Structures are given as structure tokens and as C-alpha cells.
Amino acid sequence: MKLHRLAVSGFGPYAAREEVDFDLLGADGLFLLHGDTGAGKTTLLDAVAFALFGKVPGARGDVKRLRCDYASPDTPTVVELELTVRGRRFLVRRSPEYDRPKRRGDGVTRQQAQVSLTWLAGWEGEGHTRIDDVAREIDTLLGMTADQFFQVVLLPQGEFARFLRAETAEREKLLEKLFGTERFLDVEKWFREHRRERRAEVERLGLLNRDLVQRVAEAGAEEPPAVADPEWLSSLLKRLDEDGREAGQRADEALALRAEAERAWQAARALDERVRRVHEARRALDRYAEEEPDLRAWAAERDAARRAAVVVPAQAAADRLATALAGAEARERAAADAVASLGCAAPADADLRGDAERLREESGALTGLAAEALKQEEDRRRVAHLEQAAAATSRDLAVLVSQLDEVPARLAAARSAVEESALAAARLTQVAGLAAAAGELPRVEASFRAADEARRDAVDGHQGARDALLRVRRERLEGMAVELAGELRSGQACPVCGSAEHPAPARPLLETVTAADEDAAAEVEQRAADRRARAEQEAQKLEVRLAHLREQLGDRSPDELDREHRAVAALAGRVEARQAELAGLEGQVEAALERRGRLERDLERAGAQRDELAAAVEEREARLEEARGDFPDVVARRAHLSDLADALTDLHARRVAAAEDAERLAEQRLEVSRLAAGAGFADVAEALAAARPDAAVAALEERVRRAEHGRAAAESTLVELADVDPAAEVDVAGAEARFRAATEAATTATGARDEAARRAGRAAELAGRLRAAWAGLEPVQAAFDELDALTDVINGRGQNSRSMTLRTYVLAARLEEVAVAASARLERMSQGRYRFVHSVEAGPRGTRGGLGLDVLDDYSGVQRPAKTLSGGESFLASLSLALGLSDVVAAGAVLDTLFIDEGFGTLDAETLELVMTTLDELRAGGRVVGLVSHVDELRQRIPTRLRVRKARAGSTLELTA
């Protein structure tokens, strides 16, 4: 990797754009970066790191505040780095995230981070503008992380000195950051987590085995052993099998005894049942003999009820006809009362149907007049409605005429207001411009006063700088002899007299002015002249603007113009509202005029309709008066005639229906008497007395049938059981008790047999599962034991005699490489006295080994800790370690540019010479080495220097080549 050019703008202490040409700066292979404390030397190294990785090393990267506080708002914060890596030359341009003033309005806005990578040579293709794409490309080219880059390219000796003095734990953290051994830490963690998972699996299987042993022991009704093995399992299964066979034999004997007792009990129950049936049959025959008279009465009652069954429905029909006749007669009387209520007599021999037809014809003749009567009532209501409507229309018309009298004055006022707002709108732009100018005038006056004051200061400053320049030039002219004498060389001709001998050259005074002093004074004078020109230009521009504003405003005061502007703006703002108000008023007037015409037409039309309708009502009234007779109106008379006709028709129908019901009743009563005589009864009353409901007849039939059947069954039982002695006694209870006892004994025995079989089967099933669990646990336990031992070794425990973890082992190997490379540097710089010794021994109190780093003192032959070195020796050791680390970490990636930061002030002249010789060797190998130091002697030894100057306006760079 070789740096070509670095440019920073608004970055750190650099307010303006500053550039570093590394090709020019590193032409000799070695350059010095120096300047005042806080000027920004380290910031240039930070800029290189930021351009490549988007962050800066150390604690400065935690702050994330990279923008220069005193940079111009228009100056962007950007870092540009041009470099070559692996034969590819490219340009990286990166900006951090920062806040900048808004381009419009007040406040700030967030400027997002940006980056771009552009290929310049050695590679063809498109560049990148995405942050992650650029990071991926740079990581691929450099082959190292940001932390590694900070260590191998930016060599801060302070951190390596701390590394030398650090304890094992702290040294391990530093090496991890350098060599990126996180993957080995992940391997350690993977083994630990895998062991934890496998241990959990082993414990789970062990718990399953213990649970199965417990369940097998419970099945065998014994306590589980301390250590379960196949021999214990076999003996338990054998014992359970023997117990099962013994329990089976006892159950078979008990079942045989139960069967014998059951047979004896069933025989006793059968004999007892036969004796009981004989006793029951004899008691039944005795009871039936006593009930013989009742049985004959029940049979007679049953037969009479059966004969009377044909009379009962006929009598029910006669009763229904009598009820119907009574209803018909009641309806006839109600119809006669209705006819009488209408003022008409209805004798029994009257022609009711003829009278009804005559009345209907008379009612029909009045139908037309009834319609006219209804029309008469409707027309009377219409006449009254028309009179009311005419009166209301007259009132509305009077109110409308009164309102129209006020319209002209309101229209004139509305039109005047619209014209006033329109004139105000036309003047608004002019008045607003004057008001804005009045508001701007105080600000311009203040700005002009400040600019005029700045102009006078700039003129004074320029005049002073001009006087200083003239004074420096005069003093230089006065001391020109000294300057010329400084350029004289022995044997060379004098540029003034031409002599090759210089017997008395002028001696420099204490404060001789040089060409550099004159150039510096000229530069100060030029900057003062530029500042004066800018100040005069700004003051002139403000003066012109101020004159224009005063001419525009004249003698009018800002308050007066502001009040006028607000008044005109208020009137102009109401122009649309006033125009809308005028349009609305004109619309209302037009609608009112139209409504007045409509009301006048409605009033005239209503009067004509009322007069015409009143004449028709009067003419119709005479005809209706004649037709209504003694009734209130024709409709009432017509309704009376119609109702009377309907009442006569209904009375006729009722009389006919009553006569027909009376005739049917007489015929039915003759039929009932005939049926009673035919059934053998003296009269209908006797037949009805003998009648019974169907349920009663069925009950009598059932009582007779049951008595006859019971007597026959009792006689049959006595014939069947003729050999049974009624006086025999049977001990059924004793036989049953013996059977119950035998059953209980058999149940107990079979339960014991089944329980033994169940326990044996359960134990056999669990034994199979237990043997399978033992077989499954064995390889898992073996694999876990192997994994447990290997995890202990990887994590520095167990059989690991050096107590080194895998990560520590890798770091120790890399540290050993660094120690070998650093020892070569340290031996040359210490003139063969010191070299590094890598130690793998464990520390005290169980401290892990492998990261020890001592120095071997060739003077004494003693190996001692590196922390015992003096300040200068520590610097040499740190520098050697840094260079050795650079060689190891950068293996495979040529680092053509290195920076070494501070530490040279602790060296004596001889040691410094050795260090410079080592750096010259680096330079001879094609590398460019940049030293960051305050040591004055280095300025004399290194001709190529980059100086960082600190100023209030921001730091600047000065190259001396």
C-alpha cells in the first residue's frame, strides 16, 4: 500500500482545504511531520484512517465529531485519499455525518455520511458509491481490519510500551484486537456450549434410566437398588414369574369351590319357589270362591252396558238437535228485535222478503243524491279553504312590498363597499413594497454602520501591514550585505565584485531580516489588502441599498406606512366577501320581485275559484233539502232504508232455520225410542241408566277375565306341582351365605392372580425399555466423556499442562512470530545487547501461560521482564515490537507507507543514530516512513518536513522539501 495524495476540508482543526502530496513528501523515503501541540498532526493520520474505514483510531473515534467547529458553513467536511494497493490506484472520497445550516430558513439539517471509490489505474470497472460496497472493496484489497491497519501502518509506540508492561489478561486483549482471533473464541464457546448440551442429554438419559429403575422396582413391589444392573433385573423378573404361577393355582381351587356352592344354592332356590307357588295357588282358589257373587254381578252389568251402547249415540244426537233449536229460536228473536228497533212491525204472517225488496229499490233511487250530498260537504270546505288562502296571500304580499321599498339603499351601500375593496386591492402591492422597505431600512442602516466600521478597520489594518512590509524591505536592503555574504562559497566568485577571495564577509546581526521574512510580510500585506477590498465592496453595496430605500420612502415614517399597509390589506382581503355579499343581495331582490308577481297571480286565481264554487253549492242545496225528508240528510235516509231491508231479510232467514231444526228434533226422538225397545229396555230412561262409558265396560271385562284366568292358573299349578309337599321347609339363606363366602374367596384369589400377572407383565415391559435405555446411554456417555476431556483441553484445563486456551495458543504462536521479527530490529538498535524471548510458562496463582514476553540482556546473560527496561530502552523495544508486528500482520500485503508516532525524545544521540539507521533500512527497502515528533534534532536530520501551523482561523500545512 502506497499513499499518493491526501486532502482534507472542514475536518478536525482544518477549516479550509489542505492537501498533502505524499509522492513529493516521500521522495527521499523519510519525512517529518511536526508542529505545535494541538495543531493537528495526528488528525492527518486520522484522516487517512477515516478515508479508508470511516472511523478514526483510539478514543477519538468514540466521540464521532469530526467536523471543524470554525469552518465556513459553505465548506463541506470531506477527506480525499489517493493511494495504490496491490497495483490498483484509486481515489476514496468520504464525508462523515454532521449538522450544517439549512439553505432555506433557520436551524440546521443533518448531512448524511457519503463515500465514493473511483478507479484511476490498474483496474477497469465502475467505482462504488455505497458505504458497504466501498468497505468490502477496501477490506479485500488491504487484507486487514481497521484495528490491524491502525497498528501496522500508524505505529503508536505508546500502545506497544503499554503492551510490554501489561499483564497476561491485558496483553491478551491487545493481541486479540490485532490478530482478530474471535473465530477461535467462537470455537471455544462452541465446545463449551456443545458440552453443556451433551451433558444435559446425558443427564436426561440418566434421569430416564433412574425413573425406569424406580418403576421396575415399584412393579416388583420392592425398593430400588443403589446400583441397578442386569443381574438384579433378571432376579426380579424370575421372582415375579414364580409368584404368578402360585397365585394361579390358588385361584383355580377357589373357583371350583365357588361353582359347587353356586349349584347348591340354585337347587335350594328352585325347591323354595315350587313350595311358594303351591301355597299361592291354594290361597287364590279360596279367594275366587268368596268372590263368585260379585263376579256374576259384574258380568250382568257388562252385558247391559253392551246392549245400551246403540241408544247412547242416538240420544246424544237428539240432545245436539235440541241445543241447535234453542239457538235458532234465540237468533230469530234477536232479528225481530232489530226490525222493531228500526220502527217496523213484523207479524208472523208478514211477507218479509217482499218488504225488503221494496225498501232496497227505494234506497237505490237515493244513491245519486247521496253522492251529491257528499260533494256538497267537500265544496263547502273548499270554499272556506280558498277564503283562508286568499287572506294569507294578501298578508304576505303586503310584507313583501314593504321589504322591496328598502332595497335601493342597501344595493347602493353594497356596491360602494365593493368598489372600496377593489381600489384597496389595486394599491396593495405598492403599499406592501413600501412597508417592506420601511421594515428593511433599520437593518440596512445597522449593517451599513457595521460594514463602514469594518471597512475603516480593514483600511487601518492594510495600512499597518503596508508599513510593516516597507519596513521589512528597508531592513532587508540594509542587511543585504549579510545575505550576500551568507551565499559566498570559498573559491567561488562574489556576485557583486567578482572576486574569488572573500577576506571580510559581513557578519549577520542578531535580528537580520531574510527573504523569508519579506515573503511573510508580503503575504500578510496581501491578505490585508484582500480583506480591505472585500470590506470596501460590502460597505459600498450597503450604501447604495440604503440610498435606494430612503429615496423610496421619502418623508413618510415606517409606523405610518405600516398602519396604511395593514388597513389596505384588510380592505383588499374583504373584496371577495363583499362581492359575494353584493351578488347575494341582487339575487334576493330578483327572487323577491318574482315572488311578488307570483303572489298577485295566486290571489286573483283564488278569488275567481271561490266565487264559482259558492254558486254551485247554493244551487245544489235546494235539491238535497227536498230529498232528505225527516232525516238530517239524504245519506242518512238512504242508510236507514238499506239497514231496514237487511234486517227484514235476516228475520226471514232466522224463522225458516228455526222451523227446520224443530222438525229434525222430532224425527230423532222417535228414532231413540225405537232403538231402546229393540235393545230390550222398557223405555229410553232405562237404556240410558244401563249405559256405561267405554272405559268402565273395559274395566268390567278385564275384572271378569282376570278372575276367570286366575282361577284356571291356580288349578293348573296344583295339577303341575302335585308332588310338592306344602309343609316342606328349605334353607335358602344358608345356601346363599355359603355361596357368597365362596364367591368372595374366589374373587380374592383371582384378583391376586391377575395382580401378579399384571405386575409381571408391567415389569417385563419396563425391563425391555430399561435394557434399551441402558443400551442408548452407553454410546452417549462415551461420546460425552470424550467431548468433556477435549473441551477442557481447548479451554486450558484438564490434561492441558500449559493451561493455554485455543485462542491463547493461537495468540502465542502469532506473538512468537512477532517476537522473532522484533528481536532482529531490537538487536541492531541496541547494538546486540537485547533481544525478545517468548515464554509459554504459566504465571503465578494459576495465570494462563503462552503470552509472556521477556528480554534477554546479553551483557548479563539474564532474562528479565520487559517492564524493567529504562525509558529509552522501552522506546527501542516498543519500536522494534511495532515494526515486527508490521512485518507479521502485513505478510502478503506490501506496506510502502508507515507512520511512527512520538517517543524519540527519550533517546540519546547514539541510540537515536541507531534508530535512524534502522529507519533508513526501511526506506532502502522502498518504504516511505513518516515520523511524528517534536524533537528539534530530527528537524536537522530530516530535510523533508511537513509542518502543521496552528491559528485561530484553523490549522494550515507547510511543506519543506
Side-chain angles (χ1 to χ4, degrees), residues 451-637:
D452 189 57
E453 182 67 25
R455 179 186 59 80
R456 289 195 295 269
D457 293 343
V459 170
D460 294 342
H462 177 239
Q463 190 61 44
R466 180 69 177 173
D467 295 342
L469 175 60
L470 294 175
R471 185 178 65 255
V472 168
R473 285 177 176 172
R474 184 176 63 251
E475 292 177 356
R476 185 188 176 198
L477 290 174
E478 293 174 353
M480 186 61 70
V482 176
E483 184 175 344
L484 292 174
E487 297 177 357
L488 293 177
R489 297 294 183 266
S490 179
Q492 295 181 1
C494 175
V496 177
C497 64
S499 174
E501 296 181 359
H502 317 295
R507 299 299 180 183
L509 301 178
L510 184 60
E511 296 181 355
T512 301
V513 177
T514 64
D517 295 332
E518 182 180 357
D519 292 341
E523 182 180 355
V524 171
E525 188 273 338
Q526 183 59 46
R527 287 199 298 269
D530 294 341
R531 186 163 58 251
R532 174 180 178 178
R534 290 193 298 271
E536 289 176 344
Q537 182 180 3
E538 180 67 18
Q540 183 180 4
K541 182 176 67 174
L542 290 173
E543 185 177 10
V544 172
R545 178 60 180 165
L546 182 61
H548 174 70
L549 291 176
R550 287 174 176 171
E551 180 182 358
Q552 186 178 4
L553 297 178
D555 297 333
R556 303 181 67 181
S557 66
D559 293 338
E560 178 184 356
L561 290 172
D562 183 62
R563 287 193 300 272
E564 181 181 5
H565 174 248
R566 287 199 296 271
V568 171
L571 289 174
R574 296 180 58 191
V575 62
E576 293 183 359
R578 288 183 171 182
Q579 288 175 350
E581 183 178 355
L582 175 59
L585 183 58
E586 290 174 345
Q588 292 176 6
V589 170
E590 184 179 354
L593 291 173
E594 181 182 353
R595 185 165 177 256
R596 184 178 67 177
R598 188 169 61 254
L599 289 175
E600 290 174 348
R601 290 191 297 273
D602 292 345
L603 183 60
E604 182 179 358
R605 185 168 55 253
Q609 290 178 356
R610 182 185 60 77
D611 295 341
E612 181 182 357
L613 192 59
V617 168
E618 185 177 356
E619 185 273 331
R620 189 184 300 117
E621 184 65 25
R623 288 187 285 103
L624 293 176
E625 184 66 23
E626 180 181 358
R628 69 182 180 85
D630 296 334
F631 290 91
D633 51 33
V634 176
V635 175
R637 184 183 177 195

Side-chain angles (χ1 to χ4, degrees), residues 168 172 795 797 802-803 805 807-808 841-843 846-850:
T168 300
E172 184 176 16
N795 286 272
R797 299 184 181 89
R802 294 184 176 181
S803 299
T805 65
R807 174 168 44 103
T808 306
E841 298 300 327
T847 305
R848 294 177 180 175

Side-chain angles (χ1 to χ4, degrees), residues 39-63:
K41 301 185 296 298
T42 306
T43 303
L44 293 177
L45 308 184
D46 291 345
V48 173
F50 175 74
L52 292 174
F53 299 100
K55 61 180 181 179
V56 297
R60 299 184 301 278
D62 300 334
V63 179

